[in-house]
Amino acid sequence: MPVLTPAADRDLAARALAELARTTLDEHWAVAAIPAERRALLLERADAAALRDGDGLGEPIADGLALLGTAYELAALGQLDAALQPTPSAARDLAQAVLALGAARAFRCAAALRPPLDDGESAVKWALKLGALALVSRQTDAYVRWWEARAHIAETVQRLAHRLEQEPWEPYARGTLWMAWLGLMGAPVAVLPENAADELPMLSATRSRLAAFRERRADHDVPGDGPVHNAAALRARMTEFAIRHLADATELLTVAVLRRTLPDVSAEFKLHLSAARSAMAGDHGQDVLLAWLQAAGVTLAGGVTAQLELPGF
C-alpha cells in the first residue's frame, strides 16, 4: 500500500475540511429551510447573470436570490467569532472555511442582483458589503469585474463622494468612512485624480479621505457625557461612539496596509470593530455590514488569504 506523503496528507485534509464546511453550511437552519433543488437553481441563475453587463437581475428571481444570499450570510456569520479566535485549532479552521464558503455563495447571489441606485448611501453600502464578501471569499478580481459590468454603480457612488463635503457631520462621517473602505477593498471608484500617479492610488486616496475626515472631526462637537434625557440623544451618542471606533479601525488598517505591517494590527482592529458593532446592535442592517467589514479587515490584516489580491499589490 503506498505511503502518503506529507503533501498528500495535506491535500486530503484540505478536501476533508472543504467537504465538512459545505455540509456545515448547507445544514444551517437558514440554508436548509430552502430546498436543495431550489438553491441549486438559484445559484445557477446567479452564476449566469453575476458579471453580465447591465443592471442586474430584478423580479421575479430577485426575491429568491436575496433570500438565499441572506441565508448564506446568516450561516457564515454564525461562525465569525470562532473564525476570529487568535489560537489555532481545528474548530477555528472549520469556522474560517465555513465563513469563506458562505461569503462566496452570498457574493454569487448579491453580484447578480440589481443594486439600489436611487439613493447614494444605499448604493455605497451595497457595494461595500459585496466587497467584503469578495475579500473574505478571495474573489477580489470578480469584485472589480462586477464594478465594470454593473451599470451606473460607479457613477452613483461617485456622486455621493462629490457631495460629502456639503453634508452634515453624521452623513459626512458615514459616507467618508464607507468610501475609505471601498479604497481598502480596491474599488476603482475610490481613486482620486490627485492620487492617480501614486504607486498605490486607491490606498493613497483612502489616506487623503481619512486626513480630511480627521480635520473635520476635530471641529465637530462631540455629544457630552452628561445624562441622556431622550431617545434622540442616546442615538446620537451611540452613533458617535460607533463612528469613532469605525474611524479608528479604518485608519489603523489603512496605515498597516501602506506600511506592510498587516499581521500586527489584527487584535486592535478587532477591538475597534467589536465596539462599533456593539453600539449599532439595534440596527440589524448596520450590524451585518460591520460584521462583514470585521471579517474582511481581519482577513486582510491577519494574512488569512494566501496572498493580497487587491489591485496594486
Side-chain angles (χ1 to χ4, degrees), residues 55-264:
D55 296 330
L57 294 175
E59 299 302 337
I61 196 70
D63 277 351
L65 267 179
L67 179 63
L68 181 60
T70 299
Y72 283 131
E73 287 189 58
L74 286 172
L77 290 177
Q79 302 287 331
L80 182 59
D81 288 341
L84 298 185
Q85 291 300 311
T87 305
S89 67
R92 189 186 74 169
D93 291 344
L94 176 60
Q96 289 178 350
V98 174
L99 184 69
L101 181 59
R105 291 187 180 176
F107 176 85
R108 290 164 66 185
C109 294
L113 295 176
R114 187 172 299 159
L117 299 177
D118 54 340
D119 174 67
E121 186 170 5
S122 295
V124 168
K125 289 163 70 175
W126 181 279
L128 194 55
K129 187 166 77 167
L130 200 64
L133 292 170
L135 184 57
V136 173
S137 59
R138 303 157 180 80
Q139 298 186 77
T140 50
D141 289 342
Y143 179 55
V144 174
R145 291 198 301 273
W146 174 83
W147 272 98
E148 296 167 350
R150 196 57 65 233
H152 310 305
I153 185 70
E155 293 87 345
T156 302
V157 174
Q158 198 69 52
R159 280 197 300 271
L160 174 75
H162 286 156
R163 69 169 188 261
L164 280 175
E165 291 294 335
Q166 287 72 48
E167 295 284 355
W169 164 251
E170 186 179 324
Y172 163 80
R174 285 198 313 268
T176 300
L177 293 175
W178 296 154
M179 292 299 299
W181 270 94
L182 287 177
L184 285 169
M185 292 176 182
V189 76
V191 176
L192 297 175
E194 59 266 30
N195 303 120
D198 293 350
E199 180 185 0
L200 300 174
M202 282 171 275
L203 292 177
S204 296
T206 298
R207 183 173 55 184
S208 297
R209 287 190 174 93
L210 291 174
F213 172 86
R214 213 176 301 120
E215 290 180 5
R216 182 160 173 179
R217 183 170 64 172
D219 297 330
H220 171 62
D221 292 329
V222 179
D225 295 328
V228 176
H229 297 293
N230 53 50
L234 177 61
R235 177 190 173 280
R237 185 173 297 178
M238 297 305 288
T239 298
E240 189 67 32
F241 180 87
I243 287 172
R244 177 165 58 86
H245 280 285
L246 181 60
D248 289 345
T250 308
E251 291 179 353
L252 188 70
L253 191 58
T254 302
V255 171
V257 171
L258 285 166
R259 293 179 179 175
R260 309 294 202 277
T261 57
L262 297 174
D264 299 334

Side-chain angles (χ1 to χ4, degrees), residues 4 17 109 196 304:
L4 293 175
L17 179 62
C109 294
V304 177

